[in-house]
Amino acid sequence: MDKTTYRKRSRTRKLGITAGLSLLTTGCGERYLVFRPVGPVGQVEKDLIILSIILVLAVIIPVILLLWRIVWRYRDVPGNPAPYDPEWSESHVLEVIWWGIPIVIVGVLGAFTVRDTFLLTKPPERTAAPLTVQVTSLNWKWLFQYPDQKIATVNYCEIPTNRPIQFILSANGPMNSFWVPQLGGQEYAMPGMAMRLWLQADRSGVYYGHGANFTGRGFAHMAFNVIARPRAEFDGWVQQVRHSAPVLTRVGYQSLVQSSIVEPMTFSAYAPGIFESALLKEGGMYMKRDLTMLGRSHGH
Amino acid sequence: MSTFLPHFPATFIVTGDPLIYGAEVSIVLATVGILFVLTYFKKWRWLWREWLTTVDHKKISVMYLIAALLMFFRGGVDAMLMRTQLIRPNMSFLQAEHYNQIFTTHGTIMILFMAMPFIFAMFNIAVPLQIGARDVAFPYLNAVSFWLFFFAALLFNLSFVVGGSPDAGWVSYPPLAGLEFDRGPGENFYLLSLQITGIGSIATGINFMATILKMRAPGMTLMRMPLFSWSVLASSILIIFAFPALTVALALLLIDRLAGAHFFTMFQGGNPMMYINLFWIWGHPEVYIVILPAFGIFSEVVSTFSGKRIFGYSSMVASLMTISVISYVLWVHHFFTMGAGPGVNSFFAVATMCVGIPTGVKVFNWLFTMYRGRIRLTVPMLWAIAFIPIFAIGGATGVMLAAAPADYQYHNSFFLIAHFHQVLIGGTVFGMLAGMYYWWPKMFGYMLNERLGRWAFWLFNSGFYVTFFPQYLLGLMGMTRRMYTYPANMGWNTLNFISTMGAYVMGIGFIVLVMDVVYSIRFGERDVTGDPWNGRTLEWSLPSPAPHYNFARIPTVTSRDAWWTSKQERSRSDAPRKLEPLQPIHMPKSSGRPFIMSAIFFIGGFGLVFNWYALGFLALLGVLVSMLLRSLEYDTDYYVPVEEIEQTEAALGRA
Ligand code: HEM
Ligand SMILES: [Cu+2]
């Protein structure tokens, strides 16, 4: 899938649906993070959501209107002139209609769903080389490692804009789910396993993220910000981190693995192999195919 | 492995919280109170003979109903506590530990110890009477099911004061629920009590499938069967094929926890994803297990109170059966975000949308059952009518969730919470309350009060919208579930406040409902006809409550809506009906063993919770001995003599 189709598709659909959308995105709409995507992934998901809302309204509205009308018209009050037909209980025409309409709706929504499901497994834009960020859910904090920059952060994440980000998700602790609504939907972060989630920000900004799958006592405090800024600023930030921040040692990592709630942290370097060894600890035997993903993300 | 000697953990009796102290004191007081009343009024024998040993489906139904309402109360209190904690950001009403325990017990209780016994209460009261049977196929097994459920519920609730409640969510995913992150006995309570009640549920599924397939009155072909019985058949099939998956998931996790195995641990080859799959292979059908009987009840109620045949009966049957088949291949939609490939996600997404089709058809058929009818707005009918818009919206958000890429944005957010409460409350709970008001006269011989019933309905129904609609919006604003607290700067404050207010209104609605029950015990209007609603199906041909053998003569059925037809025929001709001579009736004998055996299950379960293996093995032995004794027992049934039937029928005013 190349860039143009990925974009064009969502734009054609956008035309038809801006009307319904405007309702939710005006006024205090900026709070509805899911409806305020800042990148192509979130945009595809938002479009699908809007489409599904329109399609289901095509059933809900008639049902509610019919219900209202029927209950009113046929209520049992003396002298009600409406017809009473206690034996009338079959109509092939009617039944064909209401088996048919849902089938059509499911057909349409199903087709778009399948298309987008496949679409989202691919990187959003091929023009810029993707940046890889390894994400580990720990009790109760998020560790971000940049294998190419060799730096690490905790509880916040900086990314360049207009560049696909390949998040490689894992956990060294209970299963979590990595969710940054304005960039796009979530994916589980599971122990002993690595999973890929493509996201991208087209606009600079600070985006709210949170663990979405319950991990115990400190779960409610697993918020993090994703800070997106233009490439040059991002590179500047990397340089600055390299020169100023402390190093994440193996011992330091072990203390992060312990249950605790911490403030954001920054590291100029980290002990190599932290991510991989947690993943493969004691074998990590059931997801052999993930090794290729790791290999690719590392470039060796 | 620990020793065979009991060892008491330091936290055996839970301490340190005023709520829990309160509960401990009230449990002790209530127990003393009940013991006193039973002794003072010399009711022990009565309790044993009439209730604890009964195998009569009508009494078992009453016990299920009482238990379900009690558990509804407990789960509802949990809900109120959670909503109070979320009323404002950064509240410190509950600590994280408590909030986590409360949402875990809330979900578990509402699904397994409220919804399940509630549907079983309805199965038991209505199915044998509707199909013209004298009891279920296996009355003794029916009692076993009830007592297993009862003692499992006791075991689960005990965790509140002894040992500590589970706190890994009602889905209890490892590794969070494994030993590594959860040492306390709470999780064991969860696993063992669900295991015990699950055995009871499987038995109930088998029992009702056999009853419906084998015990229908002569002439009642499957296509003449009332839709409620059809829905019970569909639900039973689901139970039989879905619960074993839960049994396996729970057993393996228990072995991990008790014996240090590695089925679902993080490493050493364990695979937590296996548990998640097994759990939802049960969990998804489970939601249909509790909604299909509600569909059945709505069909009965809508048709009765519209004074009209059900519209599109064959479509209704077809959609019940389609739903029960499709619902086995939907489980992955609970974890689209677990990294299955796009092919798998697409398949499960489209399959999930497909289940919306038969569901939509049912909604239209209910609407057109009312069309050209005469709609009487009784309390059961109010619940049925209110169900339609809520369920239409809940089903629609379900279809939205099924669009996998969209689900990446809703999953684990309050959008999801709003969806499943919409269908579980609007569907199952409304359905069960409709059924309760509808069949109450049949169960107890008097009506529930309409006025209070209407109040309860309006409060609960309007509270519902206020509680759950804001939660959809909160989900879209990025609020995830299971957060015991949230920051003030996200714009979530107002909507959470509104949601909590709605929950309080629902709570008040529930209190009015209980007031209705209590008030009607004393002042309820007696149902002398046995047919207070001008019903259509056979249960209304019997006196309320029905005599213990149900039908003095088994009716012969000639059409759908059998009782309605025979009323019509009677009104057309005054020719005196020819009655067959009475025959002695073959009935099952009461037995104390289901109660005792389930109590032994409870003791064994309690032992295993604390790793007291000796107690566990002893109890296992006890269970085996009771099963052996049962298989050696021959004196299990008797005949009701004709004179006794005549006397009973005469006393009930029936010739
Ligand atoms: C008064 C009505 C109710 C209110 C206000 C209410 C409220 C809640 C809340 C606040 C949560 C947890 C949110 C969180 O995870 O932080 C929840 C979860 C849940 N509720 Fe309810 N609830 C109600 C009735 C019901 C009923 C009737 C059922 C079932 C038939 C039910 C089933 C569940 C389930 C299965 C969960 C998920 C539990 C979990 O995932 O841990 N609820 N509810
Ligand atoms: Cu499901």
Side-chain angles (χ1 to χ4, degrees):
Chain A
M1 185 76 45
D2 64 38
K3 172 196 172 181
T4 43
T5 39
Y6 201 106
R7 280 300 169 81
K8 202 165 68 204
R9 276 193 175 144
S10 57
R11 205 172 302 133
T12 28
R13 214 178 323 140
K14 218 185 318 180
L15 271 174
I17 47 200
T18 5
L21 181 70
S22 50
L23 229 163
L24 268 160
T25 44
T26 50
C28 60
E30 74 275 10
R31 291 298 192 180
Y32 291 90
L33 304 181
V34 169
F35 287 127
R36 284 300 167 110
V38 295
V41 176
Q43 186 64 44
V44 167
E45 288 161 350
K46 183 184 95 175
D47 290 348
L48 188 65
I49 291 175
I50 303 286
L51 175 74
S52 67
I53 293 179
I54 293 171
L55 287 173
V56 297
L57 281 179
V59 174
I60 298 180
I61 292 174
V63 164
I64 291 176
L65 292 180
L66 267 173
L67 176 70
W68 183 261
R69 168 114 188 100
I70 291 175
V71 171
W72 186 253
R73 179 130 194 257
Y74 297 101
R75 70 204 185 286
D76 187 25
V77 288
N80 186 343
Y84 175 46
D85 199 350
E87 298 302 315
W88 182 71
S89 63
E90 301 287 335
S91 160
H92 284 292
V93 180
L94 288 175
E95 297 226 40
V96 168
I97 294 178
W98 56 70
W99 279 95
I101 293 177
I103 290 178
V104 172
I105 290 180
V106 166
V108 175
L109 187 58
F112 281 98
T113 298
V114 172
R115 192 199 66 181
D116 289 350
T117 307
F118 278 87
L119 193 63
L120 292 184
T121 57
K122 304 187 181 80
E125 283 191 39
R126 274 281 163 78
T127 45
L131 172 79
T132 297
V133 181
Q134 295 168 334
V135 183
T136 313
S137 165
L138 304 170
N139 264 356
W140 291 285
K141 54 196 88 70
W142 292 95
L143 171 65
F144 299 89
Q145 286 164 272
Y146 296 73
D148 299 324
Q149 286 71 21
K150 307 267 189 289
I151 58 170
T153 58
V154 168
N155 283 348
Y156 80 102
C157 166
E158 295 253 358
I159 54 168
T161 49
N162 291 313
R163 188 172 166 194
I165 314 292
Q166 174 181 229
F167 287 100
I168 306 274
L169 312 175
S170 187
N172 195 353
M175 176 175 113
N176 206 329
S177 189
F178 178 80
W179 190 28
V180 189
Q182 287 189 274
L183 296 188
Q186 65 197 278
E187 179 114 328
Y188 285 167
M190 290 180 286
M193 180 164 171
M195 297 231 292
R196 178 193 283 124
L197 175 66
W198 289 107
L199 293 174
Q200 178 177 320
D202 289 346
R203 261 184 279 139
S204 307
V206 178
Y207 306 115
Y208 170 82
H210 202 286
N213 191 72
F214 179 62
T215 52
R217 198 153 41 83
F219 167 71
H221 302 287
M222 289 194 73
F224 57 91
N225 281 329
V226 174
I227 301 151
R229 31 181 160 178
R231 173 134 203 185
E233 281 180 42
F234 173 78
D235 290 341
W237 170 78
V238 171
Q239 287 314 318
Q240 188 209 326
V241 167
R242 281 210 184 118
H243 292 114
S244 59
V247 174
L248 177 60
T249 59
R250 222 156 248 290
V251 177
Y253 174 71
Q254 281 317 321
S255 71
L256 278 182
V257 173
Q258 302 307 313
S259 295
S260 63
I261 295 164
V262 298
E263 293 299 310
M265 300 182 209
T266 312
F267 300 102
S268 60
Y270 54 82
I274 292 180
F275 187 77
E276 292 76 1
S277 66
L279 203 58
L280 302 177
K281 183 158 64 175
E282 318 241 14
M285 58 178 275
Y286 54 85
M287 269 295 142
K288 296 225 166 56
R289 68 183 170 86
D290 293 322
L291 297 180
T292 60
M293 186 194 295
L294 282 182
R296 200 188 312 167
S297 74
H298 253 298
H300 55 239
Chain B
M1 284 239 191
S2 76
T3 64
F4 275 65
L5 286 176
H7 98 281
F8 285 82
T11 54
F12 189 70
I13 299 290
V14 183
T15 50
D17 187 88
L19 274 174
I20 294 179
Y21 284 131
E24 281 162 354
V25 171
S26 43
I27 287 172
V28 172
L29 287 182
T31 318
V32 172
I34 292 169
L35 295 182
F36 175 77
V37 168
L38 285 172
T39 314
Y40 187 81
F41 293 101
K42 304 203 170 54
K43 287 290 189 192
W44 283 104
R45 267 189 86 73
W46 166 83
L47 185 69
W48 178 256
R49 292 203 10 210
E50 297 292 319
W51 296 98
L52 303 190
T53 61
T54 187
V55 294
D56 180 343
H57 68 98
K58 300 178 288 298
K59 287 189 176 160
I60 289 177
S61 161
V62 169
M63 294 191 289
Y64 269 126
L65 181 64
I66 295 172
L69 289 175
L70 285 174
M71 287 295 101
F72 200 175
F73 176 74
R74 157 86 211 259
V77 170
D78 286 345
M80 295 305 127
L81 295 174
M82 282 187 288
R83 278 316 321 171
T84 304
Q85 167 69 12
L86 296 182
I87 194 168
R88 281 196 294 117
N90 304 317
M91 278 279 282
S92 47
F93 172 67
L94 296 174
Q95 303 301 307
E97 290 87 339
H98 292 144
Y99 188 87
N100 298 348
Q101 294 178 347
I102 289 172
F103 73 65
T104 302
T105 56
H106 169 76
T108 313
I109 285 181
M110 286 299 198
I111 297 275
L112 285 139
F113 298 121
M114 187 285 282
M116 290 302 277
F118 220 140
I119 66 167
F120 291 159
M122 300 297 138
F123 285 23
N124 270 289
I125 190 57
V127 170
L129 301 183
Q130 279 197 328
I131 63 171
R134 292 212 161 105
D135 206 313
V136 295
F138 310 113
Y140 175 93
L141 187 64
N142 200 16
V144 172
S145 292
F146 173 76
W147 290 110
L148 284 176
F149 148 75
F150 177 88
F151 281 106
L154 201 63
L155 185 61
F156 188 82
N157 281 281
L158 199 62
S159 67
F160 190 58
V161 287
V162 178
S165 302
D167 60 359
W170 82 282
V171 298
S172 177
Y173 284 173
L176 182 63
L179 266 189
E180 200 175 342
F181 296 105
D182 197 332
R183 299 212 63 84
E187 188 58 28
N188 295 351
F189 272 112
Y190 168 96
L191 292 169
L192 284 152
S193 58
L194 262 58
Q195 196 64 281
I196 294 173
T197 193
I199 301 171
S201 300
I202 295 178
T204 301
I206 295 172
N207 213 338
F208 278 86
M209 178 150 105
T211 306
I212 292 171
L213 292 181
K214 299 307 268 184
M215 302 201 26
R216 277 166 290 131
M220 179 167 288
T221 58
L222 282 176
M223 289 310 273
R224 283 182 188 158
M225 198 163 70
L227 279 173
F228 177 68
S229 294
W230 262 112
S231 74
V232 173
L233 179 61
S235 176
S236 299
I237 295 174
L238 281 171
I239 291 178
I240 294 170
F241 290 99
F243 265 79
L246 178 69
T247 307
V248 171
L250 297 173
L252 297 183
L253 187 52
L254 189 71
I255 294 171
D256 273 6
R257 289 183 58 88
L258 293 186
H262 291 280
F263 293 109
F264 306 131
T265 53
M266 293 206 307
F267 301 109
Q268 283 161 343
N271 187 345
M273 289 191 292
M274 242 15 228
Y275 174 91
I276 298 177
N277 273 282
L278 282 171
F279 184 89
W280 288 112
I281 287 174
W282 162 77
H284 183 78
E286 168 65 11
V287 307
Y288 283 90
I289 289 169
V290 298
I291 195 71
L292 292 182
F295 286 174
I297 291 173
F298 291 127
S299 296
E300 304 290 330
V301 166
V302 167
S303 156
T304 301
F305 295 108
S306 306
K308 191 159 161 284
R309 282 163 71 98
I310 193 83
F311 189 88
Y313 176 93
S314 329
S315 272
M316 290 299 233
V317 171
S319 40
L320 279 173
M321 287 299 153
T322 323
I323 292 173
S324 70
V325 173
I326 301 184
S327 59
Y328 284 108
V329 290
L330 306 182
W331 79 92
V332 171
H333 67 211
H334 292 279
F335 44 86
F336 281 138
T337 54
M338 202 162 74
V344 173
N345 276 358
S346 297
F347 172 83
F348 283 92
V350 174
T352 303
M353 292 174 193
C354 286
V355 90
I357 298 170
T359 313
V361 168
K362 293 189 79 74
V363 170
F364 283 107
N365 279 339
W366 286 313
L367 284 176
F368 277 74
T369 301
M370 292 190 268
Y371 180 75
R372 296 204 196 147
R374 275 292 172 274
I375 300 170
R376 285 179 283 154
L377 292 176
T378 57
V379 177
M381 189 62 173
L382 286 178
W383 288 110
I385 291 175
F387 148 82
I388 289 180
I390 296 188
F391 197 78
I393 299 170
T397 55
V399 170
M400 291 169 63
L401 285 157
D407 178 70
Y408 304 159
Q409 289 283 28
Y410 310 128
H411 185 54
N412 276 334
S413 78
F414 262 82
F415 190 93
L416 165 77
I417 302 287
H419 156 72
F420 74 66
H421 282 85
Q422 184 129 19
V423 282
L424 275 172
I425 299 182
T428 304
V429 175
F430 280 26
M432 293 308 123
L433 293 176
M436 180 177 104
Y437 273 85
Y438 184 61
W439 282 310
W440 189 277
K442 195 48 62 189
M443 294 173 90
F444 297 100
Y446 60 87
M447 319 276 289
L448 287 173
N449 181 277
E450 282 269 331
R451 224 179 120 79
L452 285 169
R454 278 169 201 280
W455 273 99
F457 165 78
W458 283 110
L459 286 165
F460 202 81
N461 185 50
S462 39
F464 176 84
Y465 285 90
V466 180
T467 310
F468 292 104
F469 276 80
Q471 294 188 7
Y472 283 118
L473 302 179
L474 283 169
L476 297 172
M477 289 177 157
M479 181 162 172
T480 47
R481 70 192 300 195
R482 294 173 178 159
M483 294 173 79
Y484 78 100
T485 188
Y486 54 93
N489 61 353
M490 295 300 295
W492 300 340
N493 308 0
T494 321
L495 288 171
N496 269 303
F497 180 81
I498 296 174
S499 177
T500 299
M501 290 302 126
Y504 291 162
V505 175
M506 291 177 82
I508 297 171
F510 182 75
I511 292 172
V512 177
L513 190 96
V514 173
M515 278 165 55
D516 191 358
V517 170
V518 174
Y519 174 90
S520 307
I521 291 176
R522 279 210 60 167
F523 303 108
E525 182 192 332
R526 300 225 61 85
D527 168 28
V528 286
T529 61
D531 185 11
W533 310 116
N534 195 8
R536 310 177 71 82
T537 41
L538 285 177
E539 71 268 35
W540 305 111
S541 69
L542 294 170
S544 298
H548 64 105
Y549 47 77
N550 296 352
F551 295 88
R553 298 175 185 82
I554 297 289
T556 301
V557 175
T558 54
S559 69
R560 251 173 238 163
D561 292 341
W563 173 236
W564 181 261
T565 322
S566 81
K567 281 192 285 189
Q568 301 270 301
E569 277 164 10
R570 260 182 243 178
S571 69
R572 256 178 254 132
S573 77
D574 322 312
R577 284 176 305 145
K578 241 184 30 269
L579 289 178
E580 305 278 319
L582 287 170
Q583 304 268 317
I585 295 175
H586 186 199
M587 293 296 289
K589 276 193 175 165
S590 296
S591 168
R593 201 173 297 110
F595 179 86
I596 294 169
M597 186 174 90
S598 308
I600 300 175
F601 259 104
F602 171 84
I603 294 168
F606 187 77
L608 287 185
V609 164
F610 293 99
N611 296 35
W612 301 341
Y613 297 106
L615 194 57
F617 287 128
L618 263 174
L620 185 63
L621 206 65
V623 169
L624 292 176
V625 169
S626 5
M627 297 209 285
L628 189 71
L629 286 177
R630 170 68 181 177
S631 8
L632 299 175
E633 187 174 52
Y634 294 99
D635 180 24
T636 56
D637 46 358
Y638 71 106
Y639 280 87
V640 187
V642 170
E643 305 84 74
E644 192 188 321
I645 307 172
E646 274 166 353
Q647 279 166 18
T648 316
E649 292 290 302
L652 290 168
R654 310 246 162 169

